[in-house]
Amino acid sequence: MTDNESARMTRILSGLPAAAQELLRKTDWASRQHAYGSAEDIPVSLCSLVDEDAEVRCEALATLDMGVLHQGSLYTVTAPAALFVAAILDHPMGLAEHEGHLPWDEGPPRTLRAALLAWLGQVAESAAYGEDPARDRANWEWQPWHENTRGERDSDELAALQACRDIRPVLYDAVEPFLSSCDPHICETALGSAVPLLAAPALADRVPRAAALLRARLGAMTGRRERAAVARALSLWGMDTSDLLADSDPAVRVCAALGPVRVDRPRALAVLLDALRDSGTTDGWFPEPLYGVDGWFRFTVLRSALDLASSFEEVAPVAIAMVAAGRSSIVDHERGPILFRAFSGGYDPTRSLTSAQRALLRAFIETDEVTGSIRGNWLWFRAAGLPENREDIAALL
């Protein structure tokens, strides 16, 4: 630690909450690891999060993103760093605004508090991965070959994962007060963190309280984005969102249909399929993605529809039309999942193809030359037990 860094920490320490000070003192940082090696440098970065110098704060935020949670990977330093972040959420410096702290960041300035809440949500998402395979498969980024690598973790990775799962009750307790924030941006960011945190089995008893809190505020909300975010959270938590399936805003209706549990499954599926019929409009609902929903919004809607359908035939007309439309820019997150759902049990050469399966394969063949719909999805064809080239697929018909 340099003299300047030592002086900075001394200046900042006295203003930190007691829990944050205790974490700094009691954690053996040198024995922890981040993406680039020993975490002995992390205490300086953590203290720098509340430095008066905006540039110093931005560098500290970048360290969280690039070192402590590099591309969603958890390290042995991630859990104590997350506990520190939770402890400083209500620090006065949390109101300071920042431009994007990484070169690829876009969007308007956000407060430090919003940035920290969003980061805790990313930690929670990483900690939840692999905990519930069914939930993972409903994520728009899931691919079947991920299952083959899920168990390939060394002892440090497993320890880091378990540590991050163990601290979720503490993290949620720190996040929950901000669900009532009068600042819509803070409220939305806190909700984006609460959604993956409350996916933890140990926090199931907190869900009704969080849902009641959101329900109490929903009536006063007027913006599409904030109402849709609440509908999505309630749906993902398994709450009854049947009333929101009839909302006047189609974006709210769709978000109310995204979760794994349905009181009115046919109506929820119909809402999702309607959105997919006009996916260009659907993609335009949220110019800035909702927290926890990256990529084009139709990808999330599609995965939810495929997951909700009791059979491929229920979604076949819309799904086949999407493949036949021949978009050339996207393959794995659209055509691939459709194919895998149509052959969810794997292709069985001893059984005749259904009419829906035939129509789907025909759409792949007809669009392959222009869009590479088969060539670009060969891993999905392999995962479904199908041939991986146009000629052999055509022979099945």
Side-chain angles (χ1 to χ4, degrees):
M1 185 184 304
T2 66
D3 290 343
N4 285 340
E5 290 171 339
S6 179
R8 181 190 305 157
M9 286 191 65
T10 300
R11 184 179 73 251
I12 292 172
L13 275 171
S14 61
L16 292 176
Q21 293 187 36
E22 185 176 10
L23 268 167
L24 289 175
R25 287 196 309 267
K26 292 189 174 181
T27 302
D28 182 3
W29 299 99
S31 69
R32 309 283 178 139
Q33 296 286 313
H34 54 57
Y36 304 105
S38 172
E40 59 186 345
D41 58 335
I42 291 301
V44 173
S45 294
L46 294 177
C47 286
S48 297
L49 288 168
V50 293
D51 194 278
E52 294 177 356
D53 187 323
E55 186 174 342
V56 171
R57 292 196 302 273
C58 281
E59 290 177 357
L61 285 170
T63 297
L64 287 183
D65 279 340
M66 298 178 67
V68 179
L69 188 68
H70 181 67
Q71 297 182 349
S73 295
L74 302 174
Y75 303 90
T76 52
V77 75
T78 308
L83 288 171
F84 181 92
V85 167
I88 64 168
L89 282 176
D90 59 356
H91 192 282
M93 194 56 71
L95 299 176
E97 287 197 343
H98 294 272
E99 300 286 345
H101 58 276
L102 295 172
W104 50 85
D105 280 348
E106 297 178 355
R110 58 178 176 171
T111 63
L112 172 66
R113 182 167 297 142
L116 296 179
L117 283 165
W119 185 80
L120 288 177
Q122 292 166 8
V123 172
E125 287 176 358
S126 293
Y129 182 74
E131 197 170 35
D132 182 348
R135 184 175 65 225
D136 291 343
R137 286 193 293 272
N139 185 283
W140 71 272
E141 292 182 292
W142 180 85
Q143 296 167 324
W145 47 93
H146 287 173
E147 299 291 323
N148 298 328
T149 60
R150 175 170 287 165
E152 297 174 6
R153 294 186 172 116
D154 62 29
S155 58
D156 282 348
E157 291 173 324
L158 291 172
L161 174 63
Q162 190 58 53
C164 287
R165 288 178 175 176
D166 290 344
I167 64 171
R168 287 180 294 189
V170 178
L171 300 186
Y172 178 74
D173 287 343
V175 167
E176 188 187 62
F178 297 101
L179 293 175
S180 303
S181 173
C182 59
D183 181 336
H185 193 198
I186 292 296
C187 182
E188 182 190 350
T189 315
L191 182 54
S193 297
V195 167
L197 284 169
L198 289 182
L203 290 175
D205 61 333
R206 316 266 185 109
V207 171
R209 170 185 163 86
L213 190 158
L214 295 178
R215 280 285 190 179
R217 301 194 62 188
L218 186 59
M221 294 178 174
T222 57
R224 161 176 282 178
R225 185 179 180 87
E226 58 183 348
R227 297 184 69 246
V230 168
R232 173 177 175 266
L234 294 172
S235 184
L236 292 179
W237 291 336
M239 298 290 101
D240 180 1
T241 57
S242 54
D243 60 320
L244 296 176
L245 293 174
D247 195 87
S248 60
D249 189 326
V252 175
R253 294 198 298 270
V254 167
C255 285
L258 293 178
V261 179
R262 307 289 190 276
V263 172
D264 190 346
R265 191 194 69 84
R267 187 157 57 128
L269 181 59
V271 164
L272 296 174
L273 293 177
D274 280 345
L276 292 171
R277 289 186 181 96
D278 186 10
S279 59
T281 298
T282 300
D283 283 338
W285 285 340
F286 307 109
E288 181 183 348
L290 295 175
Y291 284 99
V293 184
D294 298 317
W296 292 109
F297 191 53
R298 71 175 184 270
F299 297 162
T300 292
V301 178
L302 174 62
R303 288 296 181 102
S304 294
L306 296 176
D307 184 57
L308 180 58
S310 59
S311 68
F312 179 66
E313 282 67 23
E314 278 195 304
V315 296
V318 172
I320 293 169
M322 292 176 73
V323 174
R327 285 191 182 95
S328 59
S329 59
I330 299 297
V331 284
D332 281 353
H333 299 309
E334 195 165 48
R335 297 189 189 97
I338 289 172
L339 178 77
F340 195 71
R341 180 64 182 85
F343 294 88
S344 56
Y347 168 63
D348 183 353
T350 67
R351 300 179 63 180
S352 299
L353 296 176
T354 67
S355 59
Q357 289 172 333
R358 288 181 181 277
L360 177 63
L361 293 181
R362 193 171 296 113
F364 271 99
I365 290 170
E366 292 172 353
T367 57
D368 183 54
E369 186 172 348
V370 175
T371 67
S373 59
I374 296 174
R375 297 189 306 275
N377 281 289
W378 67 272
L379 282 171
W380 287 98
F381 276 89
R382 175 177 293 180
L386 287 159
E388 300 164 27
N389 62 79
R390 187 179 181 185
E391 293 73 19
D392 288 344
I393 293 169
L396 300 179
L397 302 178

